[in-house]
Amino acid sequence: MRQGMAILGLALVAVVLGAGQLLAAGEEIYQIEQGFKPIPAIIMLATMGVYIGVGFLSKVSSTSGYWVAGQGIGKYGNGAAIASDWMSAASFMGVAGLLYLKGWFGLGYIIGWTGGYVLLLVLLAAQIRRFGKYTIPEFLGDRYDCHSVRLIAAAVTVIIAITYSTAQFKGIGLICGWIFGMSYTSSVFFAAGVVCAYMLISGMTGVTRNQQIQYVVLISAFLIPLWFLVKKAGGAGILPQLEYGKIISGLMEGKVASGLLTGEELAAASKIYLPWGTGGNIYQFVALVFTLMVGTAGLPHIMIRFYTVKNEDVARKSVLWGLFFIGLLYWSSPVYAAMGKFWNPLGGKEVADVIILSAPELAGLGQAFLGYLAAGALAAGISTVAGLLIAGASAVAHDWYATIFRPDSTDRQQLFVGRIFTAVLCGIVVITALNPPALIAQIVAMAFAIAGNTIFPACVLGVWYSKANKYGALAGMVFGLSMSLIAMGGWMLKSPFFSDSGIMPATSSALIVCPLAFLINILVSNITAHKISDESADRSDNILRRLHNLPGAVTEAPNKKSAFGH
C-alpha cells in the first residue's frame, strides 16, 4: 500500500515538474503585468508550505478522519471552514468580476448564494447531522432504501465536483501565472500538485484545519487592500464598504483615474449601475437567484460539513457563523468592482476575472500588497477544491466501492481507493480547466444548477415528505440531471434558448427544472406507492423518525456495515 502511494506521489511530482515546460493552451486571459514577481512568490510559497505542513501534521489512518474529520469540529472552526469552503475563486475573484462586468445584475450572485444558506439552515442542517454517517449519497441511499439512488447521487456528486473545481482551477491558474510568470497551463498543473499533496496525506481533518487558516488568509487579504484603494480613489479610507457609493456617483458622471469620460465611453461605463442596464432582465435575475439558492442548499461538499461536527446544535450554529464570515467578503466585493471601474473603466470580459489584482496593480499598491492578495485568492481556490475533491472521492470510495461493490473492504483499502480517486479526479479537473467554457462565477453557477435540480429536491422530500420513495427519487434525479446537462451543452453550443439571455440559461436552469423535479418525485412516488415493500417502508420510516428526533426510532446495530460500524 505504501509503495502504491509512493509511486502515485512520484507521478504527481513528475507531472508538476514537467508542467513548467508546457505552453499555454488556448487564449491567454491575463490583463495584468506578466513576469516572475519575487515578493509575491515568497508570500505564496510560504502559505503553500503552511498548508502542506498542516496536512502532514493532520495525517489520518481511519475513514472517519479522512471523510468527516472524526466528527470533532466545533461551531467556530466549522463556521470558518464552511466559509472557506464556500468562498472559492468564484467568490474571491468571480463575484467582483461579474459585478465589474454586469453591474447591478451581478448582485444576483450575492443574493442567491447567501440566501441559499438560509434554506440550508431551515430545511436540512440539523436533520442531516442527526442522521450521521459520511456522505449525502449515503443519506439518500438509506432514506430511499435503494442502491440505485445512492449510485446516481454519487455520480451527481462527482459531476458537481468536476464542474465546480474547473472554475477554481481557472482562478488558481490565473493567480499562479501572474506570480510566477508561467503560462496558464503550467499554472494549473502547479496548483494541482499542491492541492493533491496535502489532501492525499490528511483527508478531511487536514482540509478542515487548513480551511480555518485559509479563511484568515483570504479574508484579511481581501479586506486590507480596500482601505488603500478607496483612499487612492478619493475616499477617506475608513470604512470602504460605506464609502464607495461616492465613487460610484463620480463614475456615473465620468470621473475615473485617467480623467473624465464623455460620450459613448461615459454611457458604457455608467449603464451597468442601472437596473437591467446590462446582463439580463428581471426574469433572468430571478432565475439566477433561485438557482443559486437551491443549488447552495444542495451542494454535497457543503452539506458534508454537517457530518464533521459534534451534534445538530453545533451544525446549526456553525451555519450562522459561516454566514457571518461569508458576509464579510460579499459586503466588500462590490467595492472591488467599483475600484475596477475607477482604475479601468472600459475593460471587458478579459479583465473581469482578474479585477481584484488588476485594480490594485493599476493603483500602485506595491508587490507586498499584491502578493498577499494573490495568496488569499489562492487560499480561496485551494480550500474549495479540497472540499470538492474530498466529496467526489468519498462518493466513489465510500458509496460505490465500500458500500456496494466491496462491502467487506477494510478501512485501509477504502482509504487507498479514496486517495487514488482523489488524484484521478484532480487530473480530470485539470484537463477541463485547461479550456474553461465561461467566466469563473458562471461555471460555478452551472454546478449549482446541477445540485439544485438533483440533490436538493431529493434531500428536501427525503426529509419532509414521508411518501417520497425510491422510484420518485430516481425519476426526479434523472430528470434534473438530464436537463442540467442539456442546458450546459446548449450553453457551450451557443444555443439561444440556453444562453445568458435565453429562457433557460445553463447558469439559471433551476427556476424551471427544480420545481418539475419536485413534482415528478411526488407524482411518481404516489403512483408507485404500492410497489414499496413493508420492510422497506419500515426502514424509511425509522430513518424519518431519526431525522426528526421522534419516538420509536431504532438505532442501527453496532455490527451493521455503516459509517459508525467501520
Side-chain angles (χ1 to χ4, degrees):
M1 194 72 70
R2 290 179 180 175
Q3 289 178 340
M5 290 306 299
I7 293 171
L8 178 62
L10 289 173
L12 285 170
V13 170
V15 168
V16 173
L17 292 177
Q21 306 302 318
L22 294 175
L23 297 175
E27 178 187 6
E28 286 289 341
I29 47 182
Y30 302 113
Q31 293 290 312
I32 42 185
E33 182 185 339
Q34 294 299 286
F36 180 77
K37 299 173 177 63
I39 295 176
I42 291 171
I43 295 172
M44 180 73 75
L45 292 173
T47 55
M48 286 181 175
V50 170
Y51 303 152
I52 293 175
V54 170
F56 180 78
L57 294 174
S58 305
K59 59 184 178 181
V60 295
S61 57
S62 69
T63 51
S64 176
Y66 195 78
W67 301 133
V68 293
Q71 297 183 322
I73 308 299
K75 59 185 177 184
Y76 303 114
N78 203 51
I82 285 174
S84 186
D85 218 351
W86 178 254
M87 289 191 301
S88 60
S91 291
F92 199 95
M93 299 171 68
V95 170
L98 275 167
L99 289 168
Y100 171 83
L101 192 64
K102 297 190 174 186
W104 200 90
F105 187 83
L107 291 174
Y109 284 84
I110 293 178
I111 296 169
W113 280 336
T114 308
Y117 268 97
V118 178
L119 277 183
L120 197 55
L121 176 64
V122 172
L123 296 177
L124 296 171
Q127 289 78 18
I128 291 293
R129 178 57 190 91
R130 205 173 283 139
F131 175 73
K133 304 268 179 131
Y134 284 175
T135 69
I136 297 306
E138 184 173 28
F139 161 67
L140 291 174
D142 285 4
R143 163 59 181 88
Y144 292 108
D145 195 29
C146 179
H147 279 328
S148 296
V149 171
R150 186 192 304 265
L151 286 171
I152 291 177
V156 170
T157 301
V158 172
I159 293 170
I160 291 171
I162 292 172
T163 307
Y164 205 151
S165 295
T166 296
Q168 309 316 311
F169 269 114
K170 179 184 177 183
I172 294 169
L174 291 172
I175 293 298
C176 290
W178 175 75
I179 287 180
F180 298 110
M182 298 186 295
S183 70
Y184 175 72
T185 301
S186 301
S187 302
V188 170
F189 275 93
F190 176 77
V194 174
V195 172
C196 283
Y198 86 81
M199 279 189 59
L200 292 174
I201 296 170
S202 61
M204 185 58 85
T205 302
V207 166
T208 300
R209 290 173 182 168
N210 263 317
Q211 285 174 335
Q212 294 163 359
I213 297 170
Q214 286 159 349
Y215 174 75
V216 175
V217 172
L218 70 88
I219 198 64
S220 58
F222 199 78
L223 295 180
I224 291 172
L226 283 179
W227 278 285
F228 298 90
L229 273 175
V230 168
K231 194 165 187 177
K232 279 181 171 285
I238 298 173
L239 192 59
Q241 294 84 354
L242 298 181
E243 293 177 29
Y244 75 104
K246 181 181 178 181
I247 297 169
I248 289 180
S249 296
L251 286 170
M252 299 294 287
E253 299 171 359
K255 297 175 183 178
V256 297
S258 59
L260 190 65
L261 299 177
T262 58
E264 292 183 2
E265 289 185 343
L266 173 59
S270 62
K271 73 176 183 178
I272 70 166
Y273 295 106
L274 301 174
W276 324 127
T278 183
N281 54 38
I282 190 168
Y283 166 78
Q284 288 148 3
F285 185 82
V286 171
L288 176 66
V289 170
F290 182 85
T291 297
L292 297 179
M293 286 184 68
V294 297
T296 298
L299 283 176
H301 79 287
I302 295 296
M303 287 197 282
I304 201 175
R305 279 267 148 233
F306 303 131
Y307 293 154
T308 66
V309 298
K310 300 171 184 177
N311 53 52
E312 59 264 28
D313 181 59
V314 176
R316 288 194 198 95
K317 290 177 180 177
S318 64
V319 174
L320 293 174
W321 279 108
L323 269 171
F324 170 75
F325 293 141
I326 290 166
L328 291 177
L329 185 137
Y330 281 162
W331 191 29
S332 307
S333 293
V335 189
Y336 270 106
M339 292 298 98
K341 280 294 176 185
F342 180 80
W343 296 102
N344 188 356
L346 302 176
K349 183 177 179 180
E350 294 78 13
V351 74
D353 273 339
V354 289
I355 197 65
I356 67 161
L357 289 178
S358 66
E361 191 166 52
L362 290 169
L365 289 193
Q367 295 293 298
F369 268 116
L370 292 169
Y372 192 56
L373 183 61
L378 184 77
I382 286 179
S383 63
T384 300
V385 166
L388 286 163
L389 295 183
I390 283 287
S394 68
V396 173
H398 183 67
D399 295 301
W400 288 357
Y401 177 78
T403 305
I404 297 175
F405 300 114
R406 286 288 303 277
D408 58 342
S409 58
T410 64
D411 262 16
R412 193 173 181 182
Q413 290 170 328
Q414 292 175 41
L415 279 174
F416 182 70
V417 171
R419 284 172 170 146
I420 288 290
F421 194 76
T422 299
V424 170
L425 196 57
C426 191
I428 294 172
V429 170
V430 166
I431 293 171
T432 60
L434 294 181
N435 188 23
L439 291 171
I440 291 173
Q442 289 174 324
I443 301 171
V444 168
M446 294 179 193
F448 280 69
I450 296 172
N453 293 336
T454 55
I455 301 293
F456 179 72
C459 282
V460 170
L461 291 175
V463 170
W464 296 103
Y465 187 58
S466 61
K467 294 181 180 180
N469 63 33
K470 60 183 179 181
Y471 301 108
L474 286 170
M477 292 178 72
V478 169
F479 170 79
L481 179 60
S482 301
M483 293 304 297
S484 301
L485 296 178
I486 288 171
M488 290 174 66
W491 171 288
M492 287 183 276
L493 293 173
K494 303 187 184 304
S495 168
F497 187 80
F498 300 111
S499 67
D500 263 343
S501 57
I503 302 298
M504 199 171 83
T507 56
S508 314
S509 60
L511 183 64
I512 294 174
V513 178
C514 179
L516 289 176
F518 269 98
L519 183 61
I520 288 170
N521 189 323
I522 292 170
L523 289 176
V524 173
S525 293
N526 280 275
I527 292 170
T528 60
H530 65 281
K531 294 185 177 182
I532 302 300
S533 66
D534 291 340
E535 184 181 1
S536 180
D538 287 343
R539 282 195 290 265
S540 295
D541 179 70
N542 183 59
I543 287 175
L544 282 169
R545 291 179 180 278
R546 288 170 54 195
L547 291 176
H548 297 284
N549 205 20
L550 296 175
V554 179
T555 305
E556 290 178 345
N559 62 348
K560 183 179 177 180
K561 187 72 173 177
S562 71
F564 297 118
H566 284 327

